[in-house]
Amino acid sequence: MKPPLLLSYVVFLIITTQSIPSTTGAKDFIYDVKGKKVLNDAPYSIGPVIWAKGGGIKLTDTKNNKKVCPSYVVQDPAEVNKGGEFLFTLISDDEKREKYLQTSRTLGIDSGRPKNGSCEKWTFWQIADPDAKPPSNLVTTGGTFEEDVSCFQIVDYPKPTSPKVHSYMLQHCPYYCGGTPPVRCYNVSLYEDKGTRHLSVSSGTPFEFVFEKAK
Ligand SMILES: *[C@@H]1O[C@H](CO)[C@@H](O)[C@H](O)[C@H]1NC(C)=O
Ligand SMILES: *[C@@H]1O[C@H](CO)[C@@H](O)[C@H](O)[C@H]1NC(C)=O
């Protein structure tokens, strides 16, 4: 009698063990280009999977040679440029801060402390009105943490360009942070205006990007 009992226990164990990933609570970590887990609230650059398609994401405070405030979040036209450094910070109810970034979790994206002389007080990415036309649906700085306008999440890119690297897309989710029912999120894509590629929620292929840790 003993061996069959043991066997069925082993089978039961295998079944229960395999069903664990489908239950809630499993964490979907985010990985950088080197395959390392992306840290929560730490400086990273983001850029396209294939750098020939342009450089990294950065801020610009000029448009048509005029100063603008707050800054726009744009793609550097030169592929050699990694762009700026940004801190992706999970919005969490836990007192304890999470160590690693995860997909499908609301977060704020900080451009760092305002520089001396810069026009803006706050440096989180925001979108003034995702349902409006440009420039209102372009990503700018000037937001604060944990607001509806500055609420984003990162999700796996549905059809990655390369099976070797982890690539992601960004979504703007104002309803997820504002206390209203989580109606929908908006895909962030590139919107070209007079030669400048803005991050925006204008329709179009979502912007596919990778993380690179800042030195
Ligand atoms: C900018 O920097 C200068 C020199 O370090 C300092 O005297 C000044 O108070 C700063 N201004 C602001 C707005 O922080
Ligand atoms: C967002 O992008 C994904 C992948 O391209 C697409 O399947 C989905 O329909 C898009 N969602 C919206 C709201 O546009």
Side-chain angles (χ1 to χ4, degrees):
M1 282 309 272
K2 258 193 175 169
L5 244 178
L6 185 68
L7 189 67
S8 60
Y9 176 69
V10 169
V11 169
F12 170 74
L13 199 69
I14 289 169
I15 292 166
T16 40
T17 315
Q18 285 189 337
S19 69
I20 283 172
S22 64
T23 63
T24 53
K27 291 186 177 177
D28 294 308
F29 295 115
I30 293 177
Y31 297 86
D32 68 11
V33 279
K34 290 186 177 150
K36 287 193 174 146
K37 278 184 214 158
V38 172
L39 294 163
N40 183 26
D41 198 27
Y44 282 84
S45 295
I46 60 166
V49 182
I50 298 167
W51 288 74
K53 286 181 182 168
I57 298 301
K58 64 167 190 180
L59 304 183
T60 182
D61 63 357
T62 55
K63 188 158 178 69
N64 305 327
N65 298 319
K66 270 191 259 165
K67 268 249 186 237
V68 288
C69 185
S71 300
Y72 286 107
V73 180
V74 302
Q75 183 183 26
D76 196 294
E79 64 194 79
V80 292
N81 293 334
K82 284 200 174 142
E85 292 172 3
F86 304 103
L87 295 94
F88 295 78
T89 307
L90 292 176
I91 296 168
S92 179
D93 294 334
D94 298 339
E95 303 250 324
K96 203 174 117 246
R97 184 176 278 173
E98 313 251 7
K99 187 160 187 209
Y100 300 108
L101 224 53
Q102 292 154 47
T103 55
S104 304
R105 287 276 309 268
T106 51
L107 47 80
I109 306 165
D110 194 1
S111 310
R113 236 174 284 154
K115 288 193 187 67
N116 192 349
S118 78
C119 67
E120 64 222 347
K121 268 204 188 123
W122 308 106
T123 51
F124 280 86
W125 293 14
Q126 63 171 354
I127 293 175
D129 185 356
D131 292 313
K133 288 195 170 75
S136 297
N137 69 359
L138 305 179
V139 181
T140 66
T141 60
T144 57
F145 191 50
E146 241 183 304
E147 272 187 306
D148 51 357
V149 289
S150 65
C151 188
F152 290 89
Q153 70 175 6
I154 294 162
V155 294
D156 287 315
Y157 200 78
K159 286 180 193 151
T161 300
S162 165
K164 292 194 197 102
V165 294
H166 292 270
S167 61
Y168 301 93
M169 57 189 252
L170 191 63
Q171 292 183 328
H172 183 233
C173 305
Y175 303 110
Y176 287 41
C177 294
T180 46
V183 187
R184 61 171 291 200
C185 289
Y186 300 79
N187 290 339
V188 173
S189 56
L190 289 172
Y191 168 81
E192 189 157 339
D193 179 34
K194 299 193 179 83
T196 303
R197 288 186 206 158
H198 290 265
L199 285 189
S200 155
V201 287
S202 312
S203 59
T205 314
F207 175 57
E208 182 186 13
F209 63 89
V210 295
F211 282 86
E212 192 157 346
K213 195 167 193 308
K215 280 181 209 91

